[in-house]
Amino acid sequence: MKLEFDNGIVDVEYDASPSGDKFARIRLSPTKKGCTMKLYGEVSDWVKTQKIDGEDCEHTVLLMKHKDPYLVVFKKVTE
């Protein structure tokens, strides 16, 4: 699923861990050079409004794979 933000486009891909927990990988595609952190901020704020299986979400810090930025979204860890 592709979503458009002010500073770029993201591609959301849902998956499950070996233990069966659902998560999403979000690949960031900033529209301008140097806008990666702005796009990350937008996506970070958006993730906080989302739910996985009815539970609030949290995400990793900005990760890179072959210079392509992404983050992983999963159910909020509670005690």
Side-chain angles (χ1 to χ4, degrees), residues 5-61:
F5 289 86
D6 290 340
N7 290 293
I9 298 170
V10 300
D11 184 30
V12 181
E13 177 185 310
Y14 294 96
D15 205 348
S17 70
S19 64
D21 293 329
K22 293 180 183 175
F23 68 93
R25 260 184 229 94
I26 300 180
R27 289 179 176 77
L28 307 177
S29 299
T31 51
K32 297 178 187 172
K33 187 176 181 177
C35 286
T36 301
M37 291 310 295
K38 290 179 183 177
L39 179 56
Y40 174 78
E42 284 185 275
V43 173
S44 177
D45 291 343
W46 173 75
V47 164
K48 294 172 187 169
T49 69
Q50 302 304 299
K51 300 207 181 278
I52 295 178
D53 292 338
E55 296 184 39
D56 292 337
C57 296
E58 59 185 332
H59 61 81
T60 60
V61 296

